Amino acid sequence: EAGVVQSPRYKIIEKKQPVAFWCNPISGHNTLYWYLQNLGQGPELLIRYENEEAVDDSQLPKDRFSAERLKGVDSTLKIQPAELGDSAVYLCASSLQLGNEQFFGPGTRLTVL
Amino acid sequence: GQQVMQIPQYQHVQEGEDFTTYCNSSTTLSNIQWYKQRPGGHPVFLIQLVKSGEVKKQKRLTFQFGEAKKNSSLHITATQTTDVGTYFCAGLIYNQGGKLIFGQGTELSVKP
C-alpha cells in the first residue's frame, strides 16, 4: 500500500514569490492534515480536513496561506507571498478518521531566500 | 492555549543504557500518541494510549499514560544505535475539535 505522497520534496524560492505544495493521502483516509515543522520543534497543525471540509484552520495564517481539498482526496497548500519566516518543513498526514494514528508524508522542505 | 511539554529536549546515552522521556499536558487528554522521527525523516506512529493508567510495551519500549490523563512517559531499556531519533508525544484534545498537539520532542543520540 502506498503511503502519503508529497511533492515537491524541496523548494527554494525568493521572498514574495508564491509556492504550492501537493499531498496525496493514503487511499480511504478521510482526514487530512497539514503541519508545519520548524527545526528542533514538533509538528504544528495548520489545517485539518474531514473529506473536503476544512474543520480546523485556526492556526492557518489566512492572509498569505490557503489550502484546498476539492474532491476530498488530494490537497494543495499555497503560500502567497512567501516570507523569510516561512522556511520550514511542511508535512502532510492522513488518518482513517479523527483520533486514529496519523501517517505522515516525507514533507516538503521550503527555503525562502 | 493548550500545551504539551516534553522533557528532556536532548538525551545522550551510551549504548546499553536506559532512556526515558516525559510528556506533560496543561489539560486532560482524550488519548496520547507517540511518534518517532529519524534524522531527515518524517514522524512515524509508535503507539496510542487511551485509558487512565494504561501501560503498553513494545519489545524494549514501555509507554505509560498517567492516572489523570495529563502525563505520559516512554522508557527504552538497553538502548541500541537503531533507537536514535526524536521521540514526540502528541496529545489529543477532543473538546478542541479533536486537535492533536505535539510536544517539542526529545532527541536521543546513542553512542556505540
Side-chain angles (χ1 to χ4, degrees):
Chain A
E1 177 182 301
V4 176
V5 179
Q6 287 188 252
S7 67
R9 291 293 310 278
Y10 305 91
K11 189 73 176 178
I12 301 174
I13 60 172
E14 293 190 344
K15 63 181 180 182
K16 299 185 182 180
Q17 294 298 305
V19 65
F21 314 125
W22 177 80
C23 172
N24 193 28
I26 292 174
S27 177
H29 281 196
N30 297 323
T31 309
L32 183 146
Y33 314 79
W34 282 104
Y35 289 92
L36 176 154
Q37 187 174 29
N38 287 305
L39 190 64
Q41 299 294 318
E44 299 172 34
L45 182 70
L46 290 172
I47 190 168
R48 172 168 63 89
Y49 282 94
E50 295 291 340
N51 298 303
E52 66 274 9
E53 183 182 359
V55 295
D56 184 356
D57 63 355
S58 57
Q59 301 302 312
L60 190 73
K62 298 181 184 65
D63 57 335
R64 298 185 299 107
F65 286 65
S66 64
E68 59 183 15
R69 191 185 186 199
L70 292 174
K71 295 183 179 179
V73 182
D74 58 344
S75 176
T76 303
L77 178 68
K78 297 179 182 177
I79 309 175
Q80 183 171 12
E83 296 179 354
L84 294 176
D86 296 331
S87 295
V89 175
Y90 291 82
L91 293 163
C92 179
S94 70
S95 64
L96 269 175
Q97 59 186 30
L98 178 65
N100 286 25
E101 65 179 283
Q102 296 185 19
F103 294 83
F104 283 81
T108 297
R109 183 176 296 277
L110 174 67
T111 302
V112 182
L113 302 176
Chain B
Q2 283 79 11
Q3 284 191 326
V4 174
M5 305 300 293
Q6 201 172 342
I7 57 169
Q9 189 173 0
Y10 303 98
Q11 186 78 57
H12 308 285
V13 300
Q14 193 77 32
E15 189 173 23
E17 291 181 339
D18 292 355
F19 159 77
T20 305
T21 173
Y22 300 91
C23 185
N24 287 286
S25 168
S26 57
T27 191
T28 302
L29 302 171
S30 301
N31 70 41
I32 194 153
Q33 301 176 8
W34 284 90
Y35 291 81
K36 177 183 179 181
Q37 186 171 21
R38 293 181 185 276
H42 56 275
V44 175
F45 176 82
L46 294 176
I47 208 161
Q48 178 174 280
L49 304 171
V50 179
K51 299 176 182 177
S52 170
E54 189 170 13
V55 178
K56 286 188 176 181
K57 292 188 176 184
Q58 288 180 348
K59 297 184 180 178
R60 295 176 295 104
L61 277 62
T62 302
F63 303 84
Q64 290 188 312
F65 200 9
E67 294 290 339
K69 300 184 75 173
K70 285 188 173 183
N71 60 339
S72 182
S73 64
L74 158 59
H75 179 82
I76 302 179
T77 304
T79 55
Q80 300 175 357
T81 55
T82 53
D83 296 326
V84 164
T86 300
Y87 293 84
F88 292 99
C89 63
L92 186 72
I93 304 174
Y94 268 115
N95 64 4
Q96 286 286 305
K99 181 172 291 185
L100 193 67
I101 300 177
F102 281 79
Q104 57 267 62
T106 296
E107 183 180 341
L108 172 65
S109 63
V110 180
K111 188 175 181 180

